[in-house]
Every structure is written in structure tokens, then in C-alpha cells.
Amino acid sequence: MKRILLISYCGPPNAAVPTKRISFFARHLDALGWTPTIISAHPRYAEVRDDFFVRILPPGCRIYHTPSFEPFRSRFVHSHSPIPPSGQEAPTHNHTLQRRLDWVLLTLRRLLSYGYPVQEPQWGWNHFVLPRARELIRTGRFSVVLVSLPPFSSMLAGYALKKEFGIKLVLDYRDPFHQVQNGAVAPFMRSRKYSLRARRHILLENRVLSAADGILAATSRSTQQFRDRLGPEFNARTKTITNAFDEDILDTIPAKHFDRFTIIHGGSLHGPRIEGLKLLDALGRLLRSEAVAPDAFQVLLFPGTLPDFHKERRLRTLLDRFPELNAVTRFMPYLGYYDYISYVKGADLLFLASGPMKEMILAKFYDYLGTGRPILALADPDSAMADIINRTRSGVVIPYNELSLLKITIRDLINRIRPSVRTNSRYASGFTASSTASDLAAFLDRIVGLS
């Protein structure tokens, strides 16, 4: 058996999105001849915990948790939701004070991160993960070390291990750090392309990319970005390994049953990536115009792993503008993966909002795809996610700036005017955790010279 060391700041039992990808890798690589070992930050740094991701790991998988030099440990508690679920009391004074303190601590952590070479609060984790990784590599016979990004500062830990031990290094980009834009390399999520800090980040990343034996990207478009940036000699080193759904796990989770048309939106309702408030805006307008009946449907809003305590004003403003929403909207508590998927499997419509992002695909999309439930995506029609939705016939894509079309589509779906979609399971099967792990195992075998 070959051994692979998986380094990911978020690992089991942290409930953050990266944990699912690493857990699925470990779960299926073991059956393909690769024994996994995971190093991650201690669960005390996690916003929420979900032991489900520990239970699905193979028996031989070891997890090592390390400290992290961060200004503060996580203080977020999901019972402090911005709007209390129906039937619960309004926030108390202590509740509001705690949320404000959470926001202050998060802001301080972000400000202190400006002093790090890579501006990330998790930079200090490198000081602890490196000694643990060195110890494991010296005592074990690891063929490959795979580093999950972001946090992007972790790539420097992988680079140090590569230089010290000569071990094969694979960088797993869940999200891009930089992009090729108009022939130049620029930060992916920022408009300040040529700041001194941005230039330093690009130089650091170029050095690590040149030394890496493999570069994984979560979408084919991101893979092509690396190839355009690095040149044709790197084509063999780059590989698309998408996120995935585990069909065996999904089959074991029973579906919830609802007495009315049910729409589910999971994740943030704010920020540049997620535009979920547009769903509530469309529903509020439909209710006010009496285009849909309030007793015909409900919308369940599930929080992400990091609550938007400090951005709830826009949400409250929208609810004040459309008080009709109070009768149909349920603000759900945070649920672990198993319980959340049971709601997803019983829903009539799964809403996703990715806005103008073209290269990135929301990780929850693959779970939605695996359940076979209809998807309504507010996205760029030319995006990678829209391409998969159209190929799998798993849902409807609405241009993110076409709010009138969003309103019409939701109206027709709730009133059963528009027929429900049926997913093309044959094409969707290419996004199972077993198939993506098989592709990854073949890539790793080639890197170590076994194929």
C-alpha cells in the first residue's frame, strides 16, 4: 500500500466545506491502494463541528490535529442566528451583545492578518503543521503529500516539505488564488491587481507551482487557467478533480416529507459570492402581487458554517419591506451534513446563487446534483456550474441579473405550471466521490511512477 499525507487546515470533524472534499478523498483512496493520513487544525478553531465526517473515514486513516497561532479561537455559535426560527423568542440583550462581540473579534483577527506574508488569519498554522508533518514523514513512508488550498499560505508548508525531503508535492486548489486576466496574472477575488502585496503573493505562488509535481483544480476552467499561465510543459502536471457527491452515503439518508412546495437555500445570504437575498426579494414580490398563495409553499433558509451576524441589516430591511415573507420563511438552525441532506432530498426546489463567478462551483451543488432534486441556479449562463446543470438537465439557470425572469420561473414552479426537471443520472455519475477518487488515484500513480 502506498501512503499519502493529506494536509488541510479544515479536516474532520470541522464541518467547513473543505472537510467534505478531504474526507471523500480519504474514504475512497484507501480502497484504491493509497492509505491516507490527515493533518488539520484542532477542532477548537472550527466554527461548527460535525463528527459525521470522522465516521465515514476508513479504519486505517489517522487524523492528527495541531494548534494554530491565531489571535482568537472561534467564538461563533449557530444558536445566535440573525433572525430566530419561527416559534422562538426574539434575541435577548445577551444574544445581541454576543453577536457584536463576535463581529469585533473577527474584525481584529482580520486586521492582525495584515502582518503575515500571505494575508490570512490561518497563516500561523504553518508553524505547527510543519513540525508534525516532518515527524510523520520521517517515521512513515509517504509517497505523496497533498496540500489543500485555501488557506493559500499552506502551500508554503508543502513547498518546505518538498525541499527538505524531496517528497512528491500535489497542490489541491479548491478555489483559485490568482487568475490570468488580459494576459496578466492578477488576484482572483480583488480588483487591486498590482499592489506590492499582490506581486509578492504571485511570486511566492509561482515558486511553489514550479516545484509542485501535481496541481489539482476543482473545475476544468481553473485547470485551463493554470495551463495558460504556466505553459504547455505543465499540462501533464495539472488535473481537474471536481468536488463530488457520495452516492453510497446519499442512499442511506432518508428524505424529509413536506406538506407543501418546499424551497431550500443553504449558505450565506450576503457577500460577493452568494446572492441569496434575491430569492427572498422575488418571493416577496410574488406574494404581494398574489401571484402565489402563501399556503402553497415554504422556503427553508439554512445558515452556512460561518454566520453573517454583522450583515443582518439587509436581511431585516428586506423582511420589513415584505412582511408577507414571515408566513412562508423558516430560518433553520445549523444542522450536520446527514440531517441537512435529509431536508435537501425532500425539497421540491434547491436554490443556488453564485452571481458572476464563472470558474468556481459551489461545493453544495454536487450534493444537490446527487439527490436528483430540481435545482434553480442564479448564475452566469457561461459559468462552469451552468454548463454542468445544462448537461445533466438537473435544473434551470437564470442569469444572475435577470430578476424578472427569476420571479416568473419561481411562480411557474410553485404553481406547477412549469414541469419539474429530471436529472440525467448517466452524466451525473461522473461526479461521484468514487469516480473522482479513481481519477485522483490514477494521477497519483503516474506521479510516483507506477503507471
Side-chain angles (χ1 to χ4, degrees):
M1 290 283 284
K2 305 169 290 292
R3 301 189 67 188
I4 182 170
L5 183 61
L6 304 173
I7 296 178
S8 174
Y9 177 84
C10 296
N14 190 325
V17 172
T19 297
K20 181 158 69 76
R21 182 173 173 91
I22 282 293
S23 299
F24 283 1
F25 281 172
R27 174 178 169 84
H28 292 279
L29 283 176
D30 185 72
L32 296 167
W34 286 87
T35 300
T37 298
I38 300 173
I39 302 180
S40 66
H42 195 278
R44 65 173 172 261
Y45 302 105
E47 272 72 39
V48 285
R49 177 183 178 125
D50 189 352
D51 290 319
F52 175 81
F53 293 110
V54 177
R55 295 195 296 270
I56 67 173
L57 295 176
C61 180
R62 299 287 302 275
I63 308 174
Y64 295 90
H65 294 130
T66 71
S68 181
F69 183 73
E70 297 181 32
F72 303 99
R73 297 179 182 179
S74 171
R75 296 179 58 89
F76 294 103
V77 181
H78 269 269
S79 60
H80 301 156
S81 55
I83 310 293
S86 57
Q88 294 189 10
E89 296 180 357
T92 63
H93 173 73
N94 290 336
H95 172 104
T96 303
L97 182 63
Q98 179 65 56
R99 286 188 286 109
R100 290 176 178 173
L101 180 60
D102 289 339
W103 179 82
V104 170
L105 295 180
L106 182 64
T107 301
L108 282 173
R109 191 173 82 159
R110 186 175 66 252
L111 290 174
L112 288 174
S113 72
Y114 279 89
Y116 299 145
V118 177
Q119 187 184 326
E120 293 176 321
Q122 300 86 1
W123 165 262
W125 184 53
N126 288 321
H127 300 293
F128 296 93
V129 70
L130 265 175
R132 178 52 61 90
R134 289 185 178 117
E135 178 186 349
L136 290 173
I137 292 173
R138 289 191 186 105
T139 58
R141 297 181 177 178
F142 289 95
S143 304
V144 176
V145 56
L146 182 148
V147 181
S148 178
L149 310 171
F152 298 107
S153 54
S154 298
M155 66 183 176
L156 300 180
Y159 180 65
L161 296 173
K162 170 72 175 178
K163 289 183 62 178
E164 183 173 348
F165 297 99
I167 193 170
K168 301 294 185 182
L169 171 63
V170 175
L171 303 175
D172 177 33
Y173 280 83
R174 303 185 316 275
D175 299 327
F177 191 17
H178 297 99
Q179 62 181 333
V180 178
Q181 196 174 63
N182 299 323
V185 180
F188 182 73
M189 294 297 290
R190 289 180 172 85
S191 59
R192 294 179 61 189
K193 302 177 183 179
Y194 304 111
S195 68
L196 290 177
R197 180 179 291 273
R199 289 182 180 182
R200 176 173 173 77
H201 288 173
I202 291 170
L203 290 174
L204 285 173
E205 187 183 34
N206 285 343
R207 187 186 309 166
V208 179
L209 289 171
S210 298
D213 300 279
I215 303 167
L216 307 179
T219 68
S220 58
R221 298 189 184 195
S222 294
T223 301
Q224 190 58 49
Q225 283 268 325
F226 281 118
R227 292 174 177 173
D228 293 342
R229 173 180 174 183
L230 300 172
E233 63 271 20
F234 279 81
N235 285 358
R237 297 196 208 178
T238 55
K239 177 72 175 176
T240 302
I241 301 293
T242 68
N243 287 306
F245 62 89
D246 193 307
E247 55 186 341
D248 294 333
I249 292 176
L250 293 182
D251 287 344
T252 66
I253 301 177
K256 290 281 186 182
H257 297 285
F258 303 106
D259 60 357
R260 68 193 72 180
F261 189 95
T262 298
I263 305 171
I264 282 183
H265 173 63
S268 173
L269 287 169
H270 306 275
R273 294 189 182 184
I274 306 298
E275 301 183 341
L277 281 178
K278 292 179 180 178
L279 169 66
L280 295 181
D281 186 272
L283 289 172
R285 294 175 188 275
L286 288 171
L287 287 167
R288 179 156 296 179
S289 65
E290 299 184 352
V292 294
D295 59 351
F297 75 101
Q298 62 178 343
V299 55
L300 309 183
L301 301 177
F302 288 88
T305 56
L306 185 62
D308 294 308
F309 298 140
H310 56 296
K311 296 180 180 177
E312 67 180 62
R313 184 175 301 171
R314 291 175 59 195
L315 175 59
R316 289 188 177 275
T317 299
L318 186 61
L319 293 174
D320 290 341
R321 188 192 315 163
F322 298 108
E324 300 91 341
L325 287 170
N326 292 316
V328 299
T329 305
R330 291 177 60 191
F331 290 87
M332 305 297 291
Y334 178 82
L335 297 179
Y337 181 80
Y338 185 96
D339 294 324
Y340 173 64
I341 292 298
S342 70
Y343 278 86
V344 170
K345 291 183 71 172
D348 297 283
L349 186 64
L350 306 173
F351 181 78
L352 285 170
S354 61
M357 295 191 304
K358 288 190 175 183
E359 292 85 0
M360 296 171 61
I361 300 178
L362 301 174
K364 67 174 69 69
F365 164 73
Y366 295 93
D367 287 321
Y368 289 5
L369 181 64
T371 64
R373 306 307 297 158
I375 297 171
L376 177 60
L378 195 62
D380 190 311
D382 190 40
S383 65
M385 185 171 71
D387 181 60
I388 296 178
I389 290 176
N390 292 330
R391 290 190 183 188
T392 57
R393 299 199 298 272
S394 55
V396 179
V397 178
I398 305 295
Y400 64 91
N401 53 358
E402 293 283 349
L403 300 186
S404 59
L405 182 57
L406 173 65
K407 187 171 66 170
I408 293 170
T409 304
I410 293 176
R411 180 202 64 191
D412 292 348
L413 287 168
I414 292 176
N415 293 331
R416 316 284 183 174
I417 299 173
R418 188 183 187 117
S420 184
V421 299
R422 187 177 297 276
T423 301
N424 182 339
S425 58
R426 181 178 179 182
Y427 186 82
S429 64
F431 301 101
T432 63
S434 57
S435 65
T436 55
S438 179
D439 291 342
L440 175 57
F443 184 67
L444 295 173
D445 287 341
R446 181 162 57 81
I447 285 176
V448 299
L450 298 180
S451 62

